[in-house]
């Protein structure tokens, strides 16, 4: 089955699931199929799905990934070549294309991803390119604990179709008005919780996104300062050799982290 046929199968399956079948009206154009499939996946509630669908989705997403450059931590240059800084990196790129033991997702309290079709937030991107199993896995975690995820805590899941082995989901604080001490302590807790969980699970590398910036409105410079200070404190106090990558997507955050780290 080629990529066009895979895309048609996935879209047909998901539209039939909604009760509004496509009746074969799926354009044979890969990037349009990707948009249609992604939109359907984004709005789909967490629920079981057939093994056949999952097999085709795996093939579809792995073929999409093969078109991209997958970055390894071995390609990156550490901040410094001494002390804790030899295990800390700054990287600008798409977090869904880096190979590491874990990437960090800035999750919502439901932990099931962004439901806005084709939205470009990190939560949407990670859930999209991992595949539908990630949303179901996260929903099962929430069902089992009987409550939404608390701000500042973290949970680990498989990475499924991502290059990363795992995703660590953490809920950052939402800033309304002035930045408060509680906001700051909650963001610090996000980084601490992710690092503790990674070490407990025996992971050797973790890639952090810019937690709580963007739509959660945490000021970028203050968020970066908390991120760097918390990681440095953790590594110094624990003597941990876990490799930590600060991942940024835009020029603004890159310059902020560059000024803090170099």
């Amino acid at each position: 089955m080629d990529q066009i046929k895979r895309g048609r199968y996935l879209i047909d399956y998901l539209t039939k699931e909604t009760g509004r079948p496509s009746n074969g009206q799926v354009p044979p154009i890969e990037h349009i199929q990707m948009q249609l499939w992604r939109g359907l996946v984004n709005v789909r509630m967490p629920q079981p799905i057939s093994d056949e669908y999952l097999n085709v989705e795996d093939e579809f997403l792995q073929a999409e990934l093969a078109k991209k450059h997958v970055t390894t931590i071995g390609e990156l240059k550490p901040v410094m070549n001494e002390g804790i800084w030899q295990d800390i990196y700054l990287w600008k790129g798409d977090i869904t294309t880096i190979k590491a033991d874990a990437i960090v997702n800035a999750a919502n309290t439901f932990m099931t991803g962004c439901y806005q079709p084709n939205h470009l937030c990190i939560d949407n991107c990670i859930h999209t390119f991992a595949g539908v199993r990630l949303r179901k896995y996260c929903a099962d975690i929430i069902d089992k604990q009987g409550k939404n995820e608390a701000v500042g805590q973290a949970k680990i899941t498989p990475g499924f179709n991502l290059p990363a082995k795992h995703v660590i989901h953490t809920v950052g604080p939402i800033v309304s008005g002035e930045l408060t001490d509680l906001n700051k302590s909650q963001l610090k807790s996000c980084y601490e919780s992710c690092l503790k969980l990674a070490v407990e699970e025996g992971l050797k590398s973790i890639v952090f996104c810019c937690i709580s910036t963007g739509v959660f409105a945490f000021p970028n410079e203050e968020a970066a300062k908390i991120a760097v200070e918390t990681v440095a404190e953790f590594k110094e106090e624990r003597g941990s050799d876990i490799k930590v990558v600060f991942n940024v997507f835009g020029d603004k955050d890159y310059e902020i982290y560059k000024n803090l780290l170099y």
Side-chain angles (χ1 to χ4, degrees), residues 109-111 138-150 153-155:
T109 58
F110 302 105
M111 234 176 66
C138 289
D140 289 345
I141 290 174
I142 295 300
D143 287 344
K144 185 176 181 179
Q145 71 182 19
K147 59 181 180 180
N148 290 341
E149 186 69 353
Q153 301 303 303
K155 293 290 189 296

Side-chain angles (χ1 to χ4, degrees), residues 91-105:
W91 176 65
K92 181 183 174 185
D94 177 356
I95 201 169
T96 67
T97 64
I98 189 166
K99 188 175 183 179
D101 282 352
I103 59 173
V104 173
N105 179 31

